């Protein structure tokens, strides 16, 4: 992205060229500053800043900043590099966090909104018809399944989560038409999860899988939400895939909440908070 801006400078108006040089001089600062300060630093008007972003092919300043943050984060020096024995704590902090940020931004840029819409539609419909929603995961993904149950329960959606393989297979056997199963796995190769997904699908339940593209589980469900983050012990990042899965669950829960409607949801959430606060501080 920065190379493209650099190559386009000569074709821009003089005022827009000043904005371009500001971006190239300090991309991180540009991505975080308000339009008024950007205009002041470049010695141009605020509309000129927006005009520059549009001339580069973006909808406006907000869209330009989002893409710029992704571009800068994907290019930071420590991403996908191993942690060295002589690294200081500050180096480790940057490597671990920037690796996670890069994974999130990559997902944001690559995610299929069509698949997310379809999954949210199924979950909302399953809730509205009073059928069962279950979340399955193993290991780190089992924690994500439990988190998913918690998030959807707060919306008033009764769900179940299982991380035990035997319970998953038994419970999947009880699912049927109108029910929905969400299976979460980074590798997509866990035998029990694959068996449970296959059983639920054969029994007529709708299956949503959150896993890496190309994994055996990716083609086992009706809807695939691709979560591509190859783990490697040399990166010391075994938790990034779990964070990515948690974020996908957040997106799904928020989308389902919007479909259910906020009129009933807001009072319910407020009542939950009040009851928890009363219990906590009594």
């Amino acid at each position: 992205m920065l190379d493209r801006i650099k190559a386009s400078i000569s074709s821009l108006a003089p005022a827009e060229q000043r904005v371009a040089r500001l971006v190239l001089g300090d991309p991180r600062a540009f991505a975080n500053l308000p339009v008024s300060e950007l205009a002041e630093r470049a010695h141009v008007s605020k509309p000129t800043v927006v005009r520059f972003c549009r001339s580069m092919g973006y909808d406006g300043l907000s869209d330009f900043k989002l893409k710029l943050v992704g571009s800068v984060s994907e290019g930071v020096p420590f991403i996908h590099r191993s942690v060295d024995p002589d690294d200081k704590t500050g180096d480790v902090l940057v490597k671990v966090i920037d690796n996670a940020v890069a994974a999130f931004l990559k997902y944001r840029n690559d995610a299929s909104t069509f698949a997310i819409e379809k999954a949210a539609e199924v979950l909302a419909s399953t809730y509205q018809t009073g059928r069962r929603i279950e979340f399955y995961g193993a290991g780190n993904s089992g924690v994500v399944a439990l988190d998913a149950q918690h998030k959807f329960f707060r919306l008033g959606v009764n769900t179940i989560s299982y991380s035990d393989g035997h319970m998953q297979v038994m419970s999947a056997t009880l699912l049927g038409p109108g029910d929905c199963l969400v299976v979460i796995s980074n590798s997509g190769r866990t035998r029990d999860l694959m068996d449970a997904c296959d059983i639920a699908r054969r029994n007529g339940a709708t299956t949503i899988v959150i896993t890496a593209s190309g994994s055996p589980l990716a083609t086992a469900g009706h809807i695939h939400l691709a979560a591509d983050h190859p783990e490697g012990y040399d990166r010391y990042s075994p938790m990034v895939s779990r964070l990515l899965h948690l974020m996908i669950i957040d997106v799904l829960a928020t989308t389902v909440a919007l479909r259910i409607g906020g009129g009933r949801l807001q009072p319910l959430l407020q009542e939950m908070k009040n009851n928890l606060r009363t219990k906590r501080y009594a």
Side-chain angles (χ1 to χ4, degrees):
M1 180 180 181
L2 297 176
D3 288 341
R4 186 156 57 86
I5 294 172
K6 192 181 299 182
S8 304
I9 284 185
S10 59
S11 64
L12 298 173
E16 292 179 14
Q17 288 182 12
R18 290 198 288 273
V19 181
R21 292 191 185 96
L22 184 65
V23 178
L24 295 171
D26 193 348
R28 286 181 182 275
F30 191 97
N32 292 307
L33 292 174
V35 64
S36 55
E37 190 166 344
L38 293 173
E40 185 178 342
R41 289 192 180 195
H43 304 292
V44 299
S45 65
K46 289 188 282 187
T48 299
V49 176
V50 177
R51 199 159 49 245
F52 159 76
C53 297
R54 288 178 177 158
S55 68
M56 295 306 301
Y58 299 94
D59 293 336
L61 181 60
S62 296
D63 185 42
F64 180 84
K65 280 185 172 184
L66 279 174
K67 299 299 189 299
L68 181 63
V69 168
S71 188
V72 171
S73 294
E74 286 284 6
V76 294
F78 291 129
I79 289 179
H80 303 320
R81 279 175 46 188
S82 62
V83 176
D84 299 317
D86 57 347
D87 275 345
K88 296 178 182 177
T89 303
D91 297 326
V92 174
L93 183 72
V94 172
K95 288 182 180 183
V96 171
I97 293 177
D98 277 359
N99 189 36
V101 170
F104 296 160
L105 290 170
K106 185 178 186 304
Y107 174 77
R108 185 203 65 196
N109 294 334
D110 297 344
S112 166
T113 53
F114 174 77
I116 295 171
E117 278 283 342
K118 199 172 176 184
E121 184 179 338
V122 168
L123 288 165
S125 174
T126 305
Y127 158 72
Q128 288 162 347
T129 54
R131 301 295 298 182
R132 295 170 62 182
I133 298 176
E134 300 192 354
F135 295 92
Y136 297 174
N140 285 335
S141 299
V143 178
V144 179
L146 187 61
D147 178 77
Q149 180 191 20
H150 174 254
K151 284 191 170 70
F152 277 82
F153 190 77
R154 289 184 63 194
L155 303 179
V157 179
N158 290 324
T159 64
I160 297 172
S161 69
Y162 292 118
S163 57
D164 177 80
H166 287 82
M167 288 298 296
Q168 290 166 353
V169 170
M170 286 192 292
S171 189
T173 306
L174 302 177
L175 296 176
D179 295 328
C180 180
L181 171 63
V182 182
V183 181
I184 308 157
S185 173
N186 184 52
S187 69
R189 290 178 172 82
T190 304
R191 186 74 258 168
D192 289 334
L193 290 177
M194 291 175 63
D195 288 345
C197 186
D198 181 58
I199 291 168
R201 185 168 181 169
R202 281 193 280 110
N203 287 347
T206 301
T207 53
I208 301 169
V209 294
I210 301 175
T211 187
S213 300
S215 73
L217 189 61
T219 56
H222 293 98
I223 302 169
H224 175 216
L225 301 181
D228 297 318
H229 180 76
E231 299 288 11
Y233 292 107
D234 59 325
R235 294 187 205 162
Y236 288 84
S237 60
M239 304 308 260
V240 174
S241 63
R242 189 178 87 176
L243 293 174
L244 185 59
H245 293 160
L246 288 169
M247 186 179 66
I248 294 171
I249 292 298
D250 273 359
V251 172
L252 279 178
T254 304
T255 309
V256 170
L258 292 172
R259 285 178 177 272
I260 291 174
R264 185 191 66 81
L265 185 58
Q266 287 300 115
L268 180 64
L269 289 174
Q270 189 58 53
E271 185 180 357
M272 281 186 186
K273 287 181 181 178
N274 291 339
N275 289 338
L276 287 170
R277 192 178 295 115
T278 300
K279 175 180 172 59
R280 190 174 297 138
Y281 299 116

